[in-house]
Amino acid sequence: MEMDLLRFTTAGSVDDGKSTLIGRLLYDSKSIFEDQLEAMEESSRKRGDEHLNLALLTDGLRAEREQGITIDVAYRYFATPRRKFIIADTPGHMQYTRNMVTGASTASLAIILIDARKGVIEQTCRHAFIANLLRIQHAVVAVNKMDLVDYQEETYEAIVAEFQDFASRLDNIVEITFIPISALRGDNVVATSDQMPWYGGPTLLHHLETVYVGSEENHVDARFPVQWVIRPQSDTHPDFRGYAGRVAGGVFKPGDEVLVLPSGFATHVSAIETFDGQIEEAFSPLSVTITLDDDIDISRGDMIVKPNNPPRVDQDIEAMICWFSERPLVSRGKYALRHTTKEVRAVVRDIRFKVDINTLHKIEGDPEFGLNEIGRISLRTSAPLFYDRYNRNRTTGSFVLIDEQTNEAVAAGMIV
Amino acid sequence: MRSYKLNHVRQLESEAIFVLRETAAQFDRPALLFSGGKDSIVMAHLARKAFHPARIPFMLLHVDTGHNFPETIEFRDRFVKEIGASLVVAYVQDSIDKGRVVEEQGIHASRNKLQTVTLLDAIETHQFDAALGGGRRDEEKARAKERFFSHRNDFGEWDPKGQRPELWNLFNGRHHHGEHFRVFPLSNWTEMDVWQYIKHEAIDLPSLYFSHRREVVDRHGSLLAVSDVVRVQPDETSEERTVRFRTIGDMTCTGGVDSAATSLDDIIAEVAAARETERGTRSDDKRSESAMEDRKKEGYF
């Protein structure tokens, strides 16, 4: 029952064999059920595939199966006796950036696939850059299709060296593990390959089961975005007034001195309530209800913090964004901005630069900011945000921009 | 230093409570779809936790096909009374009587697909702008693509290729008048997680989930419970077997499995060893490879 949860994402270009790899992981770890297998065998036969097509397992939409491509992020679940896994399987093309950013936003580890025949290509750099931008600290570089390069150590070592050279510029990724595999043949995915005696490292699954992933949560800076005010006004609880939310950082205990933003009132935590009774402490990512000593006017979007360590409070925001919409970003454009439980309006004041994500070069002075582009902008919001840098806190440092006409999310933002 | 870590079930619980509270905060009239099945019971349990000590701030909505197991309805009514929630029941029979839908014919006739119309009518009649469902991504491959906050257009349709990006824990429920959302707080749970949680929280369930003797008929590999709506055909024979149900839907399309599992521990052991998916007992999903995707596009659960 007491199991660890690891969320990871997969990135690779078209035909790098990403869906096959996930299919292989699930198949060899016995996470595929017989009825799913039968349906896959049937579909493989209909398509005229030579082998059982493991990719059919993850391609959930009819259009995906027809075209043999993955369109949208799909989530997969499997467990071994050691760990539970949530995979965000992101497509290698069609909206690749948007989908990879989405998948990476909740992941702690990224698997970056490289085709051994092609080596490190532009898209590999792009995937590594996005993983780094979204602050994924652990990467696995799976050098796939080793069977097609005769399982040669030299080919593998050259790719490792090339990737390391590029990755030295990515400072959020703190750990990179390289594994030579063949997803199609199953080499080093779940079972150790006897084709590559020169490789002494773990199989992919063994690494995923054992890699130490420290908490992504920030347990230092106390942050409690108020989500909902609970006021039963019932006979049993006539005066109860609690603030429901999910701890976004730090630790809260009864008796703690706290500060409420934006009002600036100081008070103390009287209790941390849950359905199962009061608890002694609340830390991220727990959902709890906090009651305070004083009756203060607090509503959704406010934040409870500690006076000695408050977040930044500002209407001028600098952020890296990834643009998701076919309608380009407009300088001076106004959008709705959603940050923690707060929604404000924001105007784009300046496009600082864009990033050529294949070379990591800055592009300055280009007023066009289109679909799948990444860069830095400055914003002014209609009300102050209570925020931290994204690299310090993924929850209080992230936001989305929403087009107020279509209600579509048009950008993901990471505050710098 | 103390390590602050939540095990996987606590993480999933906390996430689901967060989503339930977001739904209450972002919508004017949310409803919780309640069928009396285990996932919706877990949802209602989580909703109580999310808003405690206040009552659940939304109604429960049951789309009743009229082909339910009697045990489910009995459980539903008792459960709703116990938690002090208000329940709205929308009847597929009413949709048939009004001519909104036409009943399928033949021995494989099911009201499963008809529910979509009844559900969408109920959403419109009661002006619900969000419907919370117990759907999970591990259940079925089309569901694996579903967002937590899943947009439905004016006609209640899902556009799987044009879904809104959903990042971090920022859920975007903004919508135009007439559109609504389906919200799935259990998206990241697996069948095993649900069972472990039921055990951990000692949640009461309908007796159908536990092994019992019952007269069943084997129809294309599904062990259907013999009843007024599932009659034994001249070329079939029924027999009494020891079965339980892994999912609870309509009697006409939910098959039982041979099982001796009488306790939650037995069920957890059985789920761990299972070689078929949970929905493998559902003939509604077996109609075609895209059966779920097609129904979902029209507005199904």
Side-chain angles (χ1 to χ4, degrees):
Chain A
M1 171 102 192
E2 299 281 321
M3 275 226 271
D4 219 21
L5 187 63
L6 178 69
R7 297 181 192 233
F8 67 92
T9 182
T10 54
S13 332
V14 196
D15 297 332
D16 277 356
K18 205 155 33 66
S19 297
T20 309
L21 175 66
I22 292 172
R24 172 64 64 187
L25 265 178
L26 300 178
Y27 184 72
D28 285 1
S29 65
K30 307 213 173 358
S31 310
I32 298 181
F33 294 96
E34 275 165 17
D35 50 330
Q36 289 175 315
L37 201 58
E38 276 167 28
M40 270 162 64
E41 281 166 352
E42 171 73 23
S43 303
S44 292
R45 259 198 306 277
K46 271 195 215 154
R47 291 162 43 98
D49 294 327
E50 234 173 85
H51 304 278
L52 173 67
N53 188 339
L54 291 169
L56 290 173
L57 188 74
T58 54
D59 292 338
L61 302 176
R62 187 199 312 228
E64 295 178 321
R65 289 189 295 275
E66 281 168 3
Q67 298 171 43
I69 54 162
T70 313
I71 293 171
D72 199 355
V73 188
Y75 294 88
R76 300 287 148 201
Y77 303 82
F78 75 106
T80 69
R82 295 183 179 189
R83 245 182 197 164
K84 290 190 71 90
F85 300 94
I86 301 179
I87 314 173
D89 178 19
T90 60
H93 56 143
M94 283 185 65
Q95 297 281 7
Y96 46 81
T97 306
R98 161 173 148 173
N99 284 311
M100 200 192 147
V101 168
T102 302
S105 73
T106 51
S108 314
L109 180 147
I111 297 179
I112 298 170
L113 267 172
I114 296 179
D115 184 332
R117 295 169 304 173
K118 297 182 192 158
V120 176
I121 56 173
E122 280 190 355
Q123 292 191 42
T124 314
C125 302
R126 180 153 64 206
H127 297 141
F129 173 77
I130 291 170
N132 184 67
L133 180 70
L134 274 288
R135 210 189 70 179
I136 292 183
Q137 297 178 344
H138 304 268
V140 174
V141 176
V143 181
N144 191 24
K145 306 199 183 182
M146 286 301 292
D147 54 318
L148 299 181
V149 296
D150 300 326
Y151 298 106
Q152 280 178 54
E153 185 177 6
E154 300 74 41
T155 310
Y156 169 74
E157 288 301 342
I159 291 170
V160 171
E162 204 181 340
F163 188 90
Q164 274 172 333
D165 177 49
F166 172 78
S168 60
R169 287 175 281 173
L170 305 172
D171 44 9
N172 282 333
I173 302 179
V174 294
E175 184 231 15
I176 305 173
T177 301
F178 297 88
I179 305 176
I181 65 165
S182 165
L184 191 68
R185 313 250 166 224
D187 296 288
N188 288 336
V189 177
V190 171
T192 305
S193 169
D194 48 17
Q195 303 287 341
M196 293 176 273
W198 46 265
Y199 172 74
T203 64
L204 178 62
L205 182 64
H206 183 78
H207 178 70
L208 293 174
E209 282 183 305
T210 52
V211 60
Y212 174 76
V213 176
S215 178
E216 299 293 302
E217 307 291 335
N218 173 324
H219 291 128
V220 178
D221 314 312
R223 307 283 183 262
F224 188 80
V226 174
Q227 211 184 347
W228 177 258
V229 181
I230 295 182
R231 291 193 63 196
Q233 294 176 299
S234 59
D235 295 342
T236 40
H237 298 91
D239 302 316
F240 185 94
R241 189 184 178 89
Y243 306 100
R246 195 178 190 191
V247 182
V251 183
F252 290 87
K253 294 181 176 150
D256 280 351
E257 188 185 0
V258 291
L259 183 72
V260 181
L261 297 172
S263 68
F265 278 115
T267 179
H268 293 86
V269 173
S270 17
I272 296 162
E273 301 277 353
T274 74
F275 180 81
D276 305 298
Q278 297 186 350
I279 56 174
E280 280 313 300
E281 59 184 4
F283 51 88
S284 56
L286 260 183
S287 289
V288 295
T289 300
I290 289 180
T291 56
L292 300 174
D293 282 353
D294 298 290
D295 263 341
I296 305 172
D297 174 26
I298 301 176
S299 50
R300 176 174 164 86
D302 292 356
M303 194 184 277
I304 299 173
V305 303
K306 293 199 182 160
N308 58 356
N309 178 15
R312 287 198 246 173
V313 181
D314 207 337
Q315 282 175 265
D316 291 302
I317 309 292
E318 289 279 328
M320 293 296 290
I321 62 159
C322 175
W323 194 254
F324 289 157
S325 171
E326 274 154 29
R327 291 167 61 191
L329 174 145
V330 185
S331 195
R332 307 300 307 165
K334 294 190 178 71
Y335 300 93
L337 183 152
R338 194 170 283 250
H339 171 256
T340 67
T341 57
K342 197 177 176 73
E343 192 173 297
V344 298
R345 300 185 78 209
V347 55
V348 178
R349 294 179 62 141
D350 188 29
I351 298 170
R352 304 289 199 209
F353 58 82
K354 294 194 299 185
V355 179
D356 179 333
I357 51 179
N358 297 319
T359 60
L360 300 193
H361 292 146
K362 281 184 192 172
I363 306 167
E364 282 173 77
D366 182 351
E368 280 285 307
F369 205 118
L371 181 64
N372 288 321
E373 293 199 293
I374 290 174
R376 182 163 160 173
I377 61 168
S378 69
L379 292 164
R380 174 141 183 109
T381 57
S382 57
L385 297 186
F386 324 122
Y387 68 93
D388 298 281
R389 284 183 302 114
Y390 181 78
N391 281 349
R392 180 137 184 112
N393 189 319
R394 266 179 150 183
T395 306
T396 56
S398 57
F399 64 85
V400 290
L401 294 180
I402 296 166
D403 182 318
E404 291 180 292
Q405 301 307 311
T406 64
N407 291 329
E408 294 284 334
V410 292
M414 288 138 284
I415 303 174
V416 294
Chain B
M1 202 184 129
R2 183 183 177 322
S3 101
Y4 297 104
K5 214 159 173 141
L6 296 180
N7 69 39
H8 76 279
V9 178
R10 286 280 162 244
Q11 283 192 49
L12 293 171
E13 178 190 57
S14 177
E15 177 179 83
I17 289 176
F18 179 80
V19 175
L20 283 157
R21 288 169 172 172
E22 276 307 287
T23 308
Q26 291 194 34
F27 296 94
D28 293 328
R29 284 180 66 80
L32 190 151
L33 297 172
F34 188 83
S35 66
K38 68 176 190 314
D39 299 306
S40 64
I41 294 168
V42 165
M43 288 265 292
H45 180 80
L46 288 162
R48 286 178 85 185
K49 286 195 152 190
F51 303 102
H52 174 82
R55 284 192 177 190
I56 301 175
F58 29 76
M59 275 190 249
L60 271 46
L61 170 64
H62 182 211
V63 176
D64 187 339
T65 59
H67 290 171
N68 293 289
F69 289 92
E71 292 93 329
T72 314
I73 299 297
E74 195 186 298
F75 182 92
R76 178 195 76 189
D77 294 340
R78 194 180 54 206
F79 181 83
V80 167
K81 207 171 153 195
E82 254 173 42
I83 67 170
S86 52
L87 174 76
V88 180
V89 183
Y91 296 95
V92 172
Q93 188 62 50
D94 289 350
S95 305
I96 295 170
D97 294 345
K98 283 188 212 145
R100 296 277 297 132
V101 292
V102 178
E103 186 137 39
E104 294 179 3
Q105 301 297 322
I107 75 157
H108 297 297
S110 159
R111 288 183 169 182
N112 183 284
K113 203 167 175 273
L114 311 185
Q115 294 180 93
T116 301
V117 171
T118 312
L119 170 64
L120 293 177
D121 285 353
I123 285 171
E124 201 164 312
T125 307
H126 296 279
Q127 304 259 303
F128 292 131
D129 52 0
L132 286 149
R136 309 188 317 263
R137 288 171 178 159
D138 83 318
E139 274 182 88
E140 205 282 333
K141 55 189 179 300
R143 287 205 161 148
K145 304 265 170 179
E146 185 88 65
R147 304 288 189 262
F148 276 89
F149 272 38
S150 185
H151 180 259
R152 294 292 183 276
N153 69 12
D154 245 335
F155 303 94
E157 295 166 331
W158 180 50
D159 174 12
K161 282 174 23 178
Q163 297 192 79
R164 297 179 176 183
E166 193 163 80
L167 295 105
W168 298 290
N169 291 307
L170 293 167
F171 300 112
N172 174 11
R174 289 174 64 115
H175 58 282
H176 296 293
H177 186 71
E179 300 173 344
H180 75 276
F181 269 78
R182 299 293 169 81
V183 181
F184 301 103
L186 305 184
S187 287
N188 279 332
W189 297 48
T190 61
E191 184 188 12
M192 180 59 104
D193 298 329
V194 171
W195 283 111
Q196 288 180 334
Y197 188 69
I198 287 168
K199 176 164 187 249
H200 186 266
E201 301 284 304
I203 296 171
D204 196 21
L205 291 183
S207 56
L208 293 162
Y209 284 109
F210 301 94
S211 165
H212 55 283
R213 297 287 292 172
R214 182 179 285 268
E215 192 188 353
V216 293
V217 56
D218 186 336
R219 192 170 287 167
H220 302 292
S222 287
L223 295 180
L224 300 181
V226 175
S227 65
D228 287 351
V229 291
V230 179
R231 295 181 189 280
V232 182
Q233 299 300 304
D235 58 338
E236 295 174 329
T237 47
S238 66
E239 58 180 320
E240 202 181 91
R241 282 163 78 158
T242 303
V243 296
R244 70 175 203 89
F245 294 87
R246 278 177 82 183
T247 70
I248 296 184
D250 257 18
M251 296 187 85
T252 57
C253 64
T254 308
V257 289
D258 289 310
S259 168
T262 53
S263 69
L264 288 171
D265 281 325
D266 293 345
I267 290 174
I268 288 170
E270 197 181 279
V271 170
R275 294 309 308 147
E276 277 229 330
T277 59
E278 190 180 28
R279 295 195 75 89
T281 60
R282 297 289 284 261
S283 58
D284 45 329
D285 289 354
K286 290 184 181 166
R287 289 190 171 186
S288 84
E289 190 171 21
S290 313
M292 178 65 89
E293 181 182 343
D294 294 342
R295 279 179 298 161
K296 283 185 72 67
K297 278 182 185 164
E298 289 166 11
Y300 188 70
F301 299 99

